Amino acid sequence: MPAPLDSDLLRHFLAVAKTGSVTRAGEMVGRTQSAVSMQIRRLEEVLGGPVFERLPRGVVLTPLGRELLPYAERIQSLLREAGEHLTSPRISGTVRVGIVDEYVESTVPTVLAEFNAAHPEVDVSVYCDFSHRQIAALAEDRIDLAVIHNWDGTGTGEAICHDPTVWVTSLAHRTHEIRPLPVGLFINSDWSRDYAARSLDRAGLPWRLAFEADNSAALEKALLSGLAIVPRARSTVPAGCRILGSGDGFLQIDNNDVFLLTNPRRASAAISAMAVVLRDAFRPAVAVRAEEGARG
């Protein structure tokens, strides 16, 4: 049975690999040059071959060393993660999160998985609904945090990403080529009238209302089946669909920002931790999904 790799040996290996020098690696880990050299020799004995090639000025990785490098980096990263997790203060309590239903499939699973893994003792409840209902729920002290759309830039709160609404069509069905355009909109929605429908009228596009629903999931079904083009936040364009832009004769529907609102009546470590996870989940994920949607 091969001898196990010691994490301390890997720590010294990474220091030498990063600095390219045994002397500078010793300064990094707080050991003498001879002590670092001894650790590298022990590692090479375990592996059965050299991990560095000695040059007149420093060292470089051998093929074996290059093969070991990603494993060593992964192991050290896991050790740091475990240490941070196990030594950080334990958070408990409850968090009530409101989020617009358009992000239920794209962002909510990521947020919940990350938060539950980091804070298993916190009870989380999620409320998915339109922005104006979330604002009401926040005012009535039914939720602690709300992630909402702010279409015209007049709202208050913390902007956590920019995610404008665009028209989207199915690649397979090319619904956007039909005239009049079959359009899917939200039922009894001022936003549908004032933003979505108005953008079509401003572009001079003939259209008809082909599908109405009170949630994004139903509109997505209409989109994917070719029943209608529908409005979507730019970051949530599903696979098999694409954004309809100026080259197609369409206008961007709004200039939406995603805002994070907090309940002034409630404050806790659990709520603050959830706010951090929400910010982190939206900022990079939205940028990536927006780029992918535009390429589609």
Side-chain angles (χ1 to χ4, degrees):
M1 181 177 179
L5 284 174
D6 185 282
S7 62
D8 197 45
L9 299 182
L10 294 179
R11 182 169 69 93
H12 286 79
F13 165 75
L14 286 172
V16 177
K18 182 176 182 179
T19 61
S21 163
V22 174
T23 301
R24 290 198 297 273
E27 295 170 356
M28 176 182 290
V29 299
R31 303 286 297 274
T32 65
Q33 177 181 344
S34 60
V36 173
S37 296
M38 183 179 297
Q39 294 292 76
I40 297 302
R41 283 197 297 272
R42 287 180 56 197
L43 176 63
E44 291 176 333
E45 289 172 3
V46 172
L47 296 175
V51 293
F52 293 109
E53 179 184 351
R54 279 69 176 176
L55 302 177
R57 293 180 179 273
V59 299
V60 295
L61 289 167
T62 64
L64 179 61
R66 289 195 295 272
E67 189 175 354
L68 174 63
L69 183 61
Y71 291 102
E73 290 174 334
R74 193 186 314 167
I75 290 168
Q76 291 299 304
S77 177
L78 286 172
L79 288 172
R80 285 194 301 270
E81 182 182 333
E84 291 170 359
H85 175 72
L86 295 173
T87 60
S88 62
R90 307 295 285 181
I91 297 176
S92 60
T94 61
V95 182
R96 304 166 299 173
V97 184
I99 191 165
V100 284
D101 77 328
E102 199 162 0
Y103 298 111
V104 168
E105 294 186 8
S106 60
T107 306
V108 170
T110 301
V111 169
L112 294 184
E114 181 177 341
F115 189 86
N116 289 339
H119 308 292
E121 297 175 17
V122 177
D123 295 325
V124 180
S125 59
V126 180
Y127 170 65
C128 295
D129 210 334
F130 295 117
S131 296
H132 69 280
R133 292 176 185 163
Q134 285 197 66
I135 293 171
L138 204 65
E140 295 165 5
D141 196 24
R142 291 189 284 116
I143 56 176
D144 305 311
L145 297 165
V147 176
I148 67 166
H149 288 309
N150 181 36
W151 303 297
D152 56 9
T154 61
T156 59
E158 176 190 356
I160 56 177
C161 77
H162 183 61
D163 200 15
T165 314
V166 293
W167 288 106
V168 180
T169 188
S170 163
L171 289 171
H173 299 281
R174 305 182 65 85
T175 316
H176 62 287
E177 297 179 355
I178 301 172
R179 293 294 182 273
L181 280 165
V183 172
L185 294 174
F186 292 103
I187 295 173
N188 299 323
S189 164
D190 292 342
W191 175 88
S192 288
R193 180 193 66 234
D194 296 339
Y195 288 89
R198 186 168 295 175
S199 76
L200 295 174
D201 294 336
R202 285 169 48 218
L205 295 168
W207 63 278
R208 67 179 181 86
L209 185 59
F211 194 93
E212 284 189 288
D214 64 355
N215 62 83
S216 296
L219 287 177
E220 183 175 324
K221 296 295 185 184
L223 167 66
L224 294 173
S225 62
L227 292 176
I229 64 167
V230 305
R232 299 282 298 186
R234 189 174 61 189
S235 72
T236 66
V237 176
C241 300
R242 75 171 179 89
I243 294 170
L244 293 168
S246 57
D248 304 291
F250 287 78
L251 302 176
Q252 181 174 287
I253 297 174
D254 61 26
N255 200 37
N256 177 60
D257 287 318
V258 178
F259 270 35
L260 176 64
L261 309 182
T262 58
N263 184 340
R265 303 174 188 80
R266 292 247 298 166
S268 70
I271 294 172
S272 297
M274 177 61 80
V276 170
V277 172
L278 286 167
R279 294 185 191 100
D280 291 344
F282 270 90
R283 283 176 177 147
V286 164
V288 170
R289 290 197 297 269
E291 183 180 350
E292 290 175 347
R295 284 200 303 263

